[in-house]
Amino acid sequence: MERLDVVVVGAGFSGLYLIHRLRGAGFSVRAIEAGDDVGGTWYWNRYPGARCDVESLDYCYAFDDELLREWHWKERYSTQPDILDYLRHVAERFDLRRDITFNSRVTHATWHETDGRWQVETDRGGTFEATFLIMATGCLSVPRMPEFPDLDCYGGRVYYTARWPHEGVDFAGLDVAVIGTGSSGIQSIPVIARQAKRVTVFQRTPNFSVPAFNAPMDPELERDAMADIPARRQALRASDSGYLIVRNPEKLDGKPADEIERELERRWNEGGFNLLNVYDGVTSDPTTNAIVADFIRRRIRATVKDPKIANKLCPTNHPFGTKRPCVDIGYFETYNRENVELVDLNETPIENFTTGGLRTSDRNFDFDAVVFATGFDAMTGALLAVEITGRRGLSLRDKWAHGPRSYLGLMVAGFPNLFTITGPGSPSVLTNMVTSIEQHVEWVTDCLSNLRNRQQSRIEATEAAEDDWVARVNREADETLYPKANSWYVGANVPGKPRVFMPYVGGLDVYRKLCDEVAAKDYEGFVAGR
Ligand code: NA7
């Protein structure tokens, strides 16, 4: 058994930075990773067209000047292989692999009160003991594989976007079905359609998607971005989203319609999440939201030639932005191809799979392969996949039976010395994940150093602080349009999951300040001791 100061679960963006930072602060640390390499999300999601929806210059670590300077992104929005290469480079550059145990999935983590230590067990029989346990397991890492009747009878090939074969898939000459039109479906469908003989897309909910206007990295843009790295880092850290998109603070009330249209047009042409920031109140004011949503629907109708198909592709059952908007490359254009068919599952639901394909309420479909792009058990899935047992035998699963509860999305009352990186209750998925991860990793490392300086080795959130924080997370979410959508933000995509809005909506800038104030007030809301 290995005894450590800290065990980290996961070796993606969070785990890698934790190893580097904790090691630098003088702690012994080991990360345990299920995959056979680093990368987390970017290790697993290898489907065709997989790409980040945050611009490359923002979607990378900002903690090290040299790292920023030496790495050159190839495109405005990076592909999965490029991000994986980057993370491998980071692992080499900071010599991180020697502190990672690969091919091992953590199954159990148990707090032993008498020794004040976590015991961590893996599916490979490994056992580790550590004073602190840090879950760096990612927000979207447990894929959801819906149970369709008779799926096991289907004789063709079955693929999941989040568990794509490492050797890739050649769809040439094949009839392919795709189920799911979230980000993974929207990114992969255009690529698969260019390769396959036929593609049938089974859509349950149409999504808002905005073109990426992806392009090779503009060297001038890159030069400008790197000209003053400390200022850039400062700007990222001061931003509410963790990326450097210019947010328009103006409201659209009272503005002439033609001016609004021009602004929407301009933001659309900038690509990606720019449209989300077109005016103040897109995700909180129903009128503003409706105007932006209508603009996108008009764009869909202008792109898709068949008006009936365009209509089916227009999202109407949730406000824009309340499900994470997709950023695409030629998604809606794909439906103008002869070899692509769209099936609206609201009109004709799937009844069951057959040996050759599936049957909806009105037709049989035969295909050689099916691709499930059906999402994740988001935010809590990976934490609850480990049997975590805290003080007095309390299991995290029981504690969260009615939804996740935490203080600042960082710690859970009843679970001493357990930290969650970008856990539920923190801004996480509403922001650039890398900026949020850096904030959490730095806060947690500082907290552990602080405890050590005071000869303390134990910290836990109080129930009262947790109750206040949960109330605040809910209250602020209720002031927005987010809870109106059946999104994975509220767990609506997983049958039986409690409906709770999980991320903190108040902005990364506000949140960072709160975390810093808590630390400055001697870790207010936490109890520390020996
Ligand atoms: P998402 O966004 O959760 O999308 C999953 C899609 O799969 C979505 O269209 C779902 O429809 C659909 N789905 C799920 N279950 C079914 C069943 N049973 N039948 C038909 N359709 C189904 O996951 P992604 O992987 O695309 O993206 C996740 C995040 O990764 C994304 O937001 C970015 O942050 C990156 P629904 O909407 O539930 O009706």
Side-chain angles (χ1 to χ4, degrees):
M1 174 171 9
E2 198 176 343
R3 285 189 155 225
L4 300 138
D5 294 324
V6 187
V7 160
V8 169
V9 186
F13 264 102
S14 306
L16 293 178
Y17 187 31
L18 275 165
I19 301 171
H20 176 62
R21 192 88 185 178
L22 287 163
R23 208 196 256 169
F27 293 100
S28 61
V29 53
R30 173 146 298 276
I32 305 171
E33 166 58 51
D36 65 9
D37 199 358
V38 300
T41 289
W42 303 104
Y43 170 89
W44 296 103
N45 288 271
R46 296 167 186 247
Y47 59 83
R51 197 180 277 277
C52 189
D53 54 11
V54 172
E55 293 192 40
S56 311
L57 290 171
D58 294 346
Y59 194 79
C60 51
Y61 294 116
F63 67 82
D64 189 277
D65 289 18
E66 275 312 304
L67 176 63
L68 274 166
R69 260 193 286 271
E70 76 198 7
W71 187 263
H72 300 284
W73 294 105
K74 294 183 196 143
E75 295 176 70
R76 180 180 181 196
Y77 293 94
S78 292
T79 60
Q80 172 269 330
D82 283 353
I83 302 173
L84 189 56
D85 276 353
Y86 169 74
L87 289 171
R88 286 177 173 147
H89 168 75
V90 170
E92 299 305 327
R93 189 186 197 289
F94 297 105
D95 188 21
L96 304 178
R97 286 179 195 274
R98 66 181 157 91
D99 286 330
I100 306 174
T101 299
F102 290 105
N103 295 308
S104 288
R105 186 174 287 280
V106 171
T107 54
H108 294 79
T110 311
W111 173 252
H112 290 288
E113 182 72 25
T114 37
D115 341 325
R117 295 176 82 82
W118 282 96
Q119 182 170 326
V120 177
E121 289 161 51
T122 73
D123 61 352
R124 302 287 286 262
T127 306
F128 303 82
E129 267 195 13
T131 312
F132 300 97
L133 173 63
I134 308 182
M135 300 299 285
T137 39
C139 294
L140 295 161
S141 43
V142 174
R144 245 202 89 239
M145 306 188 174
E147 287 166 19
F148 290 98
D150 303 332
L151 178 57
D152 52 348
C153 301
Y154 174 62
R157 305 196 219 160
V158 179
Y159 301 106
Y160 294 92
T161 48
R163 291 290 178 270
W164 205 256
H166 286 205
E167 63 281 11
V169 179
D170 182 6
F171 287 115
L174 300 187
D175 255 311
V176 183
V178 181
I179 300 183
T181 50
S183 196
S184 304
I186 282 178
Q187 289 186 341
S188 57
I189 288 163
V191 184
I192 298 174
R194 286 200 294 275
Q195 213 184 66
K197 186 168 86 194
R198 278 196 63 73
V199 173
T200 311
V201 178
F202 294 89
Q203 171 190 269
R204 190 164 69 178
T205 307
N207 252 311
F208 289 101
S209 189
V210 177
F213 295 115
N214 187 45
M217 179 57 68
D218 174 350
E220 209 171 309
L221 198 73
E222 190 187 18
R223 246 194 327 272
D224 285 354
M226 297 306 151
D228 186 349
I229 288 177
R232 180 178 180 81
R233 185 178 300 122
Q234 183 48 34
L236 277 169
R237 292 180 174 187
S239 71
D240 62 351
S241 58
Y243 47 76
L244 295 183
I245 277 184
V246 181
R247 185 179 283 272
N248 184 355
E250 294 176 25
K251 298 198 181 305
L252 60 61
D253 301 351
K255 294 200 186 298
D258 59 339
E259 184 188 322
I260 294 173
E261 187 71 12
R262 270 199 309 278
E263 187 57 15
L264 287 166
E265 195 87 37
R266 196 179 67 76
R267 287 276 178 163
W268 172 274
N269 289 328
E270 281 175 349
F273 293 152
N274 281 288
L275 197 64
L276 203 53
N277 299 289
V278 59
Y279 285 109
D280 184 46
V282 172
T283 51
S284 57
D285 173 51
T287 311
T288 308
N289 191 286
I291 289 171
V292 184
D294 181 60
F295 174 84
I296 300 174
R297 284 190 288 264
R298 280 188 279 127
R299 284 309 187 123
I300 296 171
R301 292 201 174 96
T303 306
V304 180
K305 290 187 184 135
D306 180 331
K308 278 204 202 117
I309 298 174
N311 224 21
K312 287 182 187 174
L313 288 165
C314 282
T316 50
N317 78 346
H318 61 281
F320 170 58
T322 56
K323 283 186 163 204
R324 186 175 172 114
C326 305
V327 177
D328 72 89
I329 300 179
Y331 176 63
F332 293 112
E333 290 83 345
T334 298
Y335 292 91
N336 294 332
R337 293 177 68 101
E338 298 266 297
N339 69 334
V340 175
E341 182 180 358
L342 178 68
V343 176
D344 183 347
L345 296 179
N346 295 303
E347 287 174 4
T348 56
I350 294 174
E351 292 195 334
N352 58 281
F353 270 73
T354 61
T355 49
L358 63 75
R359 193 192 336 265
T360 65
S361 56
D362 81 332
R363 237 177 94 186
N364 265 321
F365 292 85
D366 283 334
F367 37 80
D368 305 301
V370 57
V371 174
F372 289 100
T374 41
F376 299 86
D377 182 354
M379 306 202 67
T380 53
L383 296 169
L384 295 177
V386 177
E387 283 294 329
I388 299 181
T389 310
R391 261 193 303 116
R392 298 201 199 100
L394 176 65
S395 82
L396 189 63
R397 184 167 289 284
D398 286 346
K399 162 113 192 189
W400 284 4
H402 302 292
R405 303 182 65 75
S406 75
Y407 179 36
L408 295 167
L410 275 164
M411 292 199 90
V412 181
F415 297 81
N417 293 6
L418 169 73
F419 294 90
T420 52
I421 300 300
T422 64
S426 74
S428 61
V429 291
L430 299 179
T431 66
N432 175 3
M433 284 303 293
V434 185
T435 320
S436 277
I437 284 168
E438 287 192 324
Q439 185 258 338
H440 262 193
V441 168
E442 288 162 16
W443 192 94
V444 171
T445 311
D446 290 350
C447 173
L448 300 198
S449 300
N450 197 287
L451 286 172
R452 187 182 50 195
N453 292 345
R454 298 192 290 182
Q455 272 104 48
Q456 292 177 323
S457 57
R458 180 191 165 110
I459 185 163
E460 183 181 344
T462 67
E463 293 274 357
E466 183 176 275
D467 289 347
D468 287 351
W469 183 249
V470 171
R472 178 170 179 168
V473 170
N474 288 325
R475 191 175 60 243
E476 292 193 25
D478 286 342
E479 288 162 8
T480 71
L481 301 171
Y482 281 107
K484 294 200 184 304
N486 288 326
S487 64
W488 54 256
Y489 295 146
V490 296
N493 63 328
V494 179
K497 191 163 171 172
R499 192 182 177 99
V500 172
F501 190 80
M502 293 182 280
Y504 171 63
V505 290
L508 185 54
D509 48 348
V510 172
Y511 175 80
R512 179 189 300 273
K513 201 159 161 269
L514 277 168
C515 291
D516 289 348
E517 281 167 9
V518 162
K521 289 185 194 157
D522 207 11
Y523 292 90
E524 190 180 42
F526 294 94
V527 180
R530 277 169 211 273

PDB file of all heavy atoms in Angstrom, residues 440-458:
ATOM      1  N   HIS A 440      -9.701  26.357  -9.149  1.00  0.00           N
ATOM      2  CA  HIS A 440      -9.920  25.372  -8.089  1.00  0.00           C
ATOM      3  C   HIS A 440      -8.613  24.733  -7.632  1.00  0.00           C
ATOM      4  O   HIS A 440      -8.370  24.586  -6.444  1.00  0.00           O
ATOM      5  CB  HIS A 440     -10.892  24.290  -8.583  1.00  0.00           C
ATOM      6  CG  HIS A 440     -12.294  24.524  -8.125  1.00  0.00           C
ATOM      7  ND1 HIS A 440     -13.281  23.577  -8.212  1.00  0.00           N
ATOM      8  CD2 HIS A 440     -12.874  25.601  -7.563  1.00  0.00           C
ATOM      9  CE1 HIS A 440     -14.409  24.067  -7.724  1.00  0.00           C
ATOM     10  NE2 HIS A 440     -14.187  25.300  -7.331  1.00  0.00           N
ATOM     11  N   VAL A 441      -7.786  24.357  -8.602  1.00  0.00           N
ATOM     12  CA  VAL A 441      -6.530  23.675  -8.252  1.00  0.00           C
ATOM     13  C   VAL A 441      -5.671  24.604  -7.381  1.00  0.00           C
ATOM     14  O   VAL A 441      -5.110  24.188  -6.371  1.00  0.00           O
ATOM     15  CB  VAL A 441      -5.773  23.257  -9.538  1.00  0.00           C
ATOM     16  CG1 VAL A 441      -4.342  22.821  -9.216  1.00  0.00           C
ATOM     17  CG2 VAL A 441      -6.527  22.139 -10.255  1.00  0.00           C
ATOM     18  N   GLU A 442      -5.627  25.875  -7.752  1.00  0.00           N
ATOM     19  CA  GLU A 442      -4.788  26.811  -6.992  1.00  0.00           C
ATOM     20  C   GLU A 442      -5.376  27.051  -5.602  1.00  0.00           C
ATOM     21  O   GLU A 442      -4.650  27.087  -4.598  1.00  0.00           O
ATOM     22  CB  GLU A 442      -4.625  28.116  -7.794  1.00  0.00           C
ATOM     23  CG  GLU A 442      -3.705  27.868  -8.993  1.00  0.00           C
ATOM     24  CD  GLU A 442      -3.793  28.913 -10.100  1.00  0.00           C
ATOM     25  OE1 GLU A 442      -4.326  30.009  -9.855  1.00  0.00           O
ATOM     26  OE2 GLU A 442      -3.310  28.618 -11.217  1.00  0.00           O
ATOM     27  N   TRP A 443      -6.689  27.165  -5.535  1.00  0.00           N
ATOM     28  CA  TRP A 443      -7.329  27.396  -4.232  1.00  0.00           C
ATOM     29  C   TRP A 443      -7.088  26.196  -3.308  1.00  0.00           C
ATOM     30  O   TRP A 443      -6.718  26.351  -2.143  1.00  0.00           O
ATOM     31  CB  TRP A 443      -8.839  27.650  -4.425  1.00  0.00           C
ATOM     32  CG  TRP A 443      -9.520  28.176  -3.196  1.00  0.00           C
ATOM     33  CD1 TRP A 443      -9.756  29.475  -2.878  1.00  0.00           C
ATOM     34  CD2 TRP A 443     -10.045  27.390  -2.106  1.00  0.00           C
ATOM     35  NE1 TRP A 443     -10.398  29.563  -1.670  1.00  0.00           N
ATOM     36  CE2 TRP A 443     -10.583  28.303  -1.164  1.00  0.00           C
ATOM     37  CE3 TRP A 443     -10.117  26.030  -1.823  1.00  0.00           C
ATOM     38  CZ2 TRP A 443     -11.199  27.894   0.019  1.00  0.00           C
ATOM     39  CZ3 TRP A 443     -10.711  25.618  -0.628  1.00  0.00           C
ATOM     40  CH2 TRP A 443     -11.236  26.544   0.268  1.00  0.00           C
ATOM     41  N   VAL A 444      -7.262  25.004  -3.832  1.00  0.00           N
ATOM     42  CA  VAL A 444      -7.114  23.793  -3.012  1.00  0.00           C
ATOM     43  C   VAL A 444      -5.654  23.636  -2.565  1.00  0.00           C
ATOM     44  O   VAL A 444      -5.383  23.358  -1.392  1.00  0.00           O
ATOM     45  CB  VAL A 444      -7.595  22.532  -3.791  1.00  0.00           C
ATOM     46  CG1 VAL A 444      -7.241  21.256  -3.032  1.00  0.00           C
ATOM     47  CG2 VAL A 444      -9.102  22.591  -4.039  1.00  0.00           C
ATOM     48  N   THR A 445      -4.722  23.853  -3.488  1.00  0.00           N
ATOM     49  CA  THR A 445      -3.302  23.716  -3.115  1.00  0.00           C
ATOM     50  C   THR A 445      -2.934  24.727  -2.038  1.00  0.00           C
ATOM     51  O   THR A 445      -2.253  24.401  -1.059  1.00  0.00           O
ATOM     52  CB  THR A 445      -2.391  23.896  -4.357  1.00  0.00           C
ATOM     53  OG1 THR A 445      -2.889  23.078  -5.387  1.00  0.00           O
ATOM     54  CG2 THR A 445      -0.967  23.504  -4.054  1.00  0.00           C
ATOM     55  N   ASP A 446      -3.406  25.962  -2.206  1.00  0.00           N
ATOM     56  CA  ASP A 446      -3.127  26.986  -1.186  1.00  0.00           C
ATOM     57  C   ASP A 446      -3.732  26.581   0.158  1.00  0.00           C
ATOM     58  O   ASP A 446      -3.138  26.802   1.215  1.00  0.00           O
ATOM     59  CB  ASP A 446      -3.705  28.349  -1.613  1.00  0.00           C
ATOM     60  CG  ASP A 446      -2.928  28.939  -2.783  1.00  0.00           C
ATOM     61  OD1 ASP A 446      -1.859  28.393  -3.117  1.00  0.00           O
ATOM     62  OD2 ASP A 446      -3.402  29.930  -3.378  1.00  0.00           O
ATOM     63  N   CYS A 447      -4.918  26.012   0.100  1.00  0.00           N
ATOM     64  CA  CYS A 447      -5.595  25.587   1.331  1.00  0.00           C
ATOM     65  C   CYS A 447      -4.759  24.518   2.049  1.00  0.00           C
ATOM     66  O   CYS A 447      -4.538  24.594   3.261  1.00  0.00           O
ATOM     67  CB  CYS A 447      -6.987  25.061   0.962  1.00  0.00           C
ATOM     68  SG  CYS A 447      -7.870  24.324   2.317  1.00  0.00           S
ATOM     69  N   LEU A 448      -4.262  23.534   1.287  1.00  0.00           N
ATOM     70  CA  LEU A 448      -3.460  22.470   1.906  1.00  0.00           C
ATOM     71  C   LEU A 448      -2.147  23.032   2.462  1.00  0.00           C
ATOM     72  O   LEU A 448      -1.713  22.636   3.549  1.00  0.00           O
ATOM     73  CB  LEU A 448      -3.160  21.343   0.909  1.00  0.00           C
ATOM     74  CG  LEU A 448      -4.349  20.590   0.297  1.00  0.00           C
ATOM     75  CD1 LEU A 448      -3.894  19.259  -0.287  1.00  0.00           C
ATOM     76  CD2 LEU A 448      -5.466  20.352   1.284  1.00  0.00           C
ATOM     77  N   SER A 449      -1.542  23.976   1.741  1.00  0.00           N
ATOM     78  CA  SER A 449      -0.288  24.577   2.237  1.00  0.00           C
ATOM     79  C   SER A 449      -0.559  25.338   3.523  1.00  0.00           C
ATOM     80  O   SER A 449       0.221  25.293   4.480  1.00  0.00           O
ATOM     81  CB  SER A 449       0.297  25.540   1.197  1.00  0.00           C
ATOM     82  OG  SER A 449       0.573  24.851   0.015  1.00  0.00           O
ATOM     83  N   ASN A 450      -1.674  26.040   3.532  1.00  0.00           N
ATOM     84  CA  ASN A 450      -2.063  26.808   4.697  1.00  0.00           C
ATOM     85  C   ASN A 450      -2.269  25.905   5.920  1.00  0.00           C
ATOM     86  O   ASN A 450      -1.793  26.203   7.026  1.00  0.00           O
ATOM     87  CB  ASN A 450      -3.358  27.545   4.340  1.00  0.00           C
ATOM     88  CG  ASN A 450      -3.647  28.653   5.284  1.00  0.00           C
ATOM     89  OD1 ASN A 450      -4.022  28.390   6.408  1.00  0.00           O
ATOM     90  ND2 ASN A 450      -3.437  29.891   4.846  1.00  0.00           N
ATOM     91  N   LEU A 451      -2.945  24.792   5.707  1.00  0.00           N
ATOM     92  CA  LEU A 451      -3.155  23.842   6.811  1.00  0.00           C
ATOM     93  C   LEU A 451      -1.798  23.359   7.329  1.00  0.00           C
ATOM     94  O   LEU A 451      -1.561  23.328   8.542  1.00  0.00           O
ATOM     95  CB  LEU A 451      -3.949  22.628   6.320  1.00  0.00           C
ATOM     96  CG  LEU A 451      -5.444  22.809   6.052  1.00  0.00           C
ATOM     97  CD1 LEU A 451      -6.006  21.565   5.383  1.00  0.00           C
ATOM     98  CD2 LEU A 451      -6.213  23.086   7.347  1.00  0.00           C
ATOM     99  N   ARG A 452      -0.930  23.002   6.396  1.00  0.00           N
ATOM    100  CA  ARG A 452       0.386  22.476   6.793  1.00  0.00           C
ATOM    101  C   ARG A 452       1.158  23.510   7.599  1.00  0.00           C
ATOM    102  O   ARG A 452       1.766  23.182   8.624  1.00  0.00           O
ATOM    103  CB  ARG A 452       1.162  22.064   5.546  1.00  0.00           C
ATOM    104  CG  ARG A 452       2.468  21.356   5.847  1.00  0.00           C
ATOM    105  CD  ARG A 452       3.216  21.009   4.578  1.00  0.00           C
ATOM    106  NE  ARG A 452       3.315  22.172   3.703  1.00  0.00           N
ATOM    107  CZ  ARG A 452       3.655  22.114   2.416  1.00  0.00           C
ATOM    108  NH1 ARG A 452       3.918  20.959   1.869  1.00  0.00           N
ATOM    109  NH2 ARG A 452       3.734  23.217   1.695  1.00  0.00           N
ATOM    110  N   ASN A 453       1.090  24.760   7.160  1.00  0.00           N
ATOM    111  CA  ASN A 453       1.807  25.820   7.893  1.00  0.00           C
ATOM    112  C   ASN A 453       1.311  25.948   9.321  1.00  0.00           C
ATOM    113  O   ASN A 453       2.030  26.386  10.202  1.00  0.00           O
ATOM    114  CB  ASN A 453       1.624  27.174   7.198  1.00  0.00           C
ATOM    115  CG  ASN A 453       2.324  27.180   5.870  1.00  0.00           C
ATOM    116  OD1 ASN A 453       3.153  26.300   5.606  1.00  0.00           O
ATOM    117  ND2 ASN A 453       1.982  28.143   5.010  1.00  0.00           N
ATOM    118  N   ARG A 454       0.055  25.575   9.528  1.00  0.00           N
ATOM    119  CA  ARG A 454      -0.504  25.680  10.888  1.00  0.00           C
ATOM    120  C   ARG A 454      -0.476  24.342  11.626  1.00  0.00           C
ATOM    121  O   ARG A 454      -1.187  24.149  12.599  1.00  0.00           O
ATOM    122  CB  ARG A 454      -1.933  26.211  10.800  1.00  0.00           C
ATOM    123  CG  ARG A 454      -1.964  27.610  10.190  1.00  0.00           C
ATOM    124  CD  ARG A 454      -3.293  28.262  10.343  1.00  0.00           C
ATOM    125  NE  ARG A 454      -4.300  27.634   9.494  1.00  0.00           N
ATOM    126  CZ  ARG A 454      -5.551  28.044   9.407  1.00  0.00           C
ATOM    127  NH1 ARG A 454      -5.972  29.050  10.146  1.00  0.00           N
ATOM    128  NH2 ARG A 454      -6.400  27.442   8.616  1.00  0.00           N
ATOM    129  N   GLN A 455       0.296  23.430  11.057  1.00  0.00           N
ATOM    130  CA  GLN A 455       0.361  22.061  11.602  1.00  0.00           C
ATOM    131  C   GLN A 455      -1.025  21.424  11.734  1.00  0.00           C
ATOM    132  O   GLN A 455      -1.318  20.728  12.697  1.00  0.00           O
ATOM    133  CB  GLN A 455       1.057  22.022  12.973  1.00  0.00           C
ATOM    134  CG  GLN A 455       2.560  21.870  12.889  1.00  0.00           C
ATOM    135  CD  GLN A 455       3.235  23.175  13.166  1.00  0.00           C
ATOM    136  OE1 GLN A 455       2.902  23.837  14.143  1.00  0.00           O
ATOM    137  NE2 GLN A 455       4.174  23.554  12.320  1.00  0.00           N
ATOM    138  N   GLN A 456      -1.841  21.708  10.758  1.00  0.00           N
ATOM    139  CA  GLN A 456      -3.167  21.069  10.741  1.00  0.00           C
ATOM    140  C   GLN A 456      -3.214  20.100   9.570  1.00  0.00           C
ATOM    141  O   GLN A 456      -2.507  20.281   8.578  1.00  0.00           O
ATOM    142  CB  GLN A 456      -4.258  22.122  10.597  1.00  0.00           C
ATOM    143  CG  GLN A 456      -4.364  23.007  11.836  1.00  0.00           C
ATOM    144  CD  GLN A 456      -5.406  24.098  11.678  1.00  0.00           C
ATOM    145  OE1 GLN A 456      -5.566  24.653  10.599  1.00  0.00           O
ATOM    146  NE2 GLN A 456      -6.098  24.409  12.750  1.00  0.00           N
ATOM    147  N   SER A 457      -4.083  19.113   9.714  1.00  0.00           N
ATOM    148  CA  SER A 457      -4.128  18.122   8.625  1.00  0.00           C
ATOM    149  C   SER A 457      -5.571  17.741   8.296  1.00  0.00           C
ATOM    150  O   SER A 457      -5.823  16.717   7.680  1.00  0.00           O
ATOM    151  CB  SER A 457      -3.346  16.878   9.026  1.00  0.00           C
ATOM    152  OG  SER A 457      -3.886  16.387  10.233  1.00  0.00           O
ATOM    153  N   ARG A 458      -6.499  18.577   8.735  1.00  0.00           N
ATOM    154  CA  ARG A 458      -7.895  18.184   8.519  1.00  0.00           C
ATOM    155  C   ARG A 458      -8.743  19.419   8.275  1.00  0.00           C
ATOM    156  O   ARG A 458      -8.588  20.445   8.942  1.00  0.00           O
ATOM    157  CB  ARG A 458      -8.367  17.477   9.789  1.00  0.00           C
ATOM    158  CG  ARG A 458      -9.780  17.005   9.738  1.00  0.00           C
ATOM    159  CD  ARG A 458     -10.218  16.576  11.133  1.00  0.00           C
ATOM    160  NE  ARG A 458     -11.656  16.473  11.118  1.00  0.00           N
ATOM    161  CZ  ARG A 458     -12.305  15.326  11.190  1.00  0.00           C
ATOM    162  NH1 ARG A 458     -11.662  14.203  11.339  1.00  0.00           N
ATOM    163  NH2 ARG A 458     -13.622  15.321  11.143  1.00  0.00           N
TER     164      ARG A 458
END
